[in-house]
Amino acid sequence: MTTFPQGFVWGAATASYQIEGAVREDGRGPSIWDVFSHTPGKVADGHTGDVACDHYHRYREDVAIMEDLGLHAYRFSVSWPRVLPGGTFNAAGLDFYDRLVDELLARRISPIATLYHWDLPAELDWRNPDTAAKFADYTEIVHHRLGDRVATWTTLNEPWVSAFVGYGSGRHAPGVTDPAAAFTAAHHLLRAHALGAQVLRAGGAGEVSVTLNLTPTVGDPEVTTLIDGLANRLFLDPVLRGAYPDDIRAHIAKFTDLGLDDLPFEAIDVLGVNYYTIARLAADPASPGHEEYPGSEGIAWLPPHGVPTEMGWEVVPSGLEELLLRISRDYPGTPLMITENGAAYDDVVKDGRVPDTDRIAFLDGHFRAAHNAIQRGADLRGYLVWSLLDNFEWARGYHKRFGLVRVDYESLERLPKDSAHWYREVIARNGLD
């Protein structure tokens, strides 16, 4: 195994709605995902996050697992509807994160807090410009309580998904299918990030971050330029340069007269990168395009090469290496952290173990790709595996398992997979000094 630089951070990540459960306890209000998952036909087999992994009650057990694995850091998200159900402050909801952070610190695990990982309070909507200001108010409340113990703060997780899967294809909550709504939501999410980052900066946050899911494109420039713009530059440029790229600004104008000049800006300290796969593209006049990429008619998404993951995603470790180098080249001086990378496989329990060799091979390849990027000049500070636990995989329900730790959804028993034991050894060989 290659050796990573001193101080390199190893960890894992989760999200509140995917693991916490306890959706009606201690004053928590409904989120758009509560509404969506309880709507027939929206989530596979009618699964919901009502119980999930019951992390709300079992967080001490889960943090003990993290300690056993030797994790340096744990990225979790705060549930907005726990903290401000119906717009009213709920101290009991925030108390949970107090307990979680204290438990992490007691076991020498650095907490990384994500303020928004898709569980928007049900009464709010990203099409409404006021939601960005409400996010800033929520940010101030959470940081005021936890900022003395949490150094790294992430405003949003994957705003592309929130906008284009939530409001474009409608496969995610709130289930809207409207290109104009998708671009409107994207703009307001970017405003929310900047306003939240300003609040964090004013409050003395140690590190301010945002996490973007980024998808390298492969194919002729005539088809990749637009998709790269919609998937990547639409968010990279405003976050890191303070403005939309000219070609994407013109493309948005084809769908909406939304004003784009009211975009505030606040520099970040580290960019969170979520990477899973690439997009292979080709020109095809007969293709209707992709509903999550408005205006992509005439572009075809090609099938994956080789054996994909259970999500149907091609396994391309070199894509991560090139992505990190591309960001370093196009946005110089940007420190990076991989905030999600992992794979879903059809795990099977055998003799009390989960021999998930496919996942080990996946992670090994991507770790090596990340190391190559560092050797070639990328300022990569850490690597957080997705995910610590098997969990509620959004519209796929409980059918796709990404976890290092298997969760039996009936007994809720935790069982570290072989990949977890392997990861422990990787971390031990690359200690944090």
Side-chain angles (χ1 to χ4, degrees), residues 389-407:
L389 305 171
D390 290 339
N391 54 49
F392 176 81
E393 186 49 43
W394 307 110
R396 312 283 186 117
Y398 294 100
H399 293 291
K400 306 301 180 186
R401 294 179 176 270
F402 277 87
L404 294 165
V405 178
R406 186 181 191 276
V407 177

Side-chain angles (χ1 to χ4, degrees), residues 210-240:
V210 65
T211 283
L212 304 180
N213 60 299
L214 300 172
T215 305
T217 55
V218 176
D220 292 335
E222 65 179 287
V223 294
T224 59
T225 299
L226 173 62
I227 304 307
D228 175 68
L230 293 174
N232 303 318
R233 293 181 290 113
L234 171 59
F235 296 95
L236 283 167
D237 275 33
V239 165
L240 298 176

Side-chain angles (χ1 to χ4, degrees), residues 207-324:
E207 283 190 331
V208 178
S209 180
V210 65
T211 283
L212 304 180
N213 60 299
L214 300 172
T215 305
T217 55
V218 176
D220 292 335
E222 65 179 287
V223 294
T224 59
T225 299
L226 173 62
I227 304 307
D228 175 68
L230 293 174
N232 303 318
R233 293 181 290 113
L234 171 59
F235 296 95
L236 283 167
D237 275 33
V239 165
L240 298 176
R241 294 175 175 164
Y244 290 101
D246 290 341
D247 62 327
I248 296 306
R249 176 185 284 265
H251 188 77
I252 294 172
K254 299 175 183 177
F255 296 89
T256 174
D257 58 1
L258 179 71
L260 301 178
D261 294 326
D262 62 338
L263 195 64
F265 177 73
E266 182 68 39
I268 60 173
D269 301 301
V270 61
L271 176 67
V273 175
N274 290 2
Y275 170 80
Y276 289 98
T277 191
I278 64 172
R280 294 190 183 275
L281 305 168
D284 179 359
S287 173
H290 197 301
E291 57 195 347
E292 291 164 5
Y293 296 87
S296 62
E297 295 84 1
I299 299 175
W301 272 252
L302 302 181
H305 292 183
V307 179
T309 69
E310 284 291 301
M311 297 290 287
W313 298 339
E314 183 175 346
V315 179
V316 192
S318 61
L320 174 60
E321 179 179 350
E322 296 307 319
L323 173 62
L324 296 173

Side-chain angles (χ1 to χ4, degrees), residues 367-388:
F367 290 175
R368 293 178 186 277
H371 184 269
N372 290 345
I374 294 171
Q375 295 296 101
R376 295 174 66 186
D379 184 9
L380 181 64
R381 308 287 181 85
Y383 205 118
L384 308 180
V385 172
W386 184 269
S387 176
L388 177 71

Side-chain angles (χ1 to χ4, degrees), residues 90-170:
N90 175 40
L94 198 46
D95 287 347
F96 168 71
Y97 300 101
D98 254 333
R99 298 191 296 271
L100 173 62
V101 167
D102 287 346
E103 188 72 16
L104 289 165
L105 293 174
R107 295 180 183 269
R108 296 171 301 194
I109 300 167
S110 297
I112 298 174
T114 299
L115 287 157
Y116 181 67
H117 198 132
W118 305 354
D119 48 351
L120 186 70
E123 67 274 11
L124 301 182
D125 193 306
W126 284 115
R127 290 171 292 185
N128 187 332
D130 294 341
T131 302
K134 292 181 185 298
F135 175 76
D137 294 340
Y138 156 69
T139 296
E140 184 172 20
I141 290 169
V142 178
H143 182 259
H144 180 74
R145 172 72 74 87
L146 304 179
D148 60 330
R149 286 154 291 153
V150 177
T152 302
W153 290 84
T154 299
T155 54
L156 311 177
N157 177 80
E158 299 187 350
W160 181 89
V161 176
S162 296
F164 291 96
V165 188
Y167 292 87
S169 69

Side-chain angles (χ1 to χ4, degrees), residues 334-346:
T334 303
L336 305 172
M337 175 172 281
I338 297 168
T339 39
E340 286 185 27
N341 174 251
Y345 287 107
D346 188 17

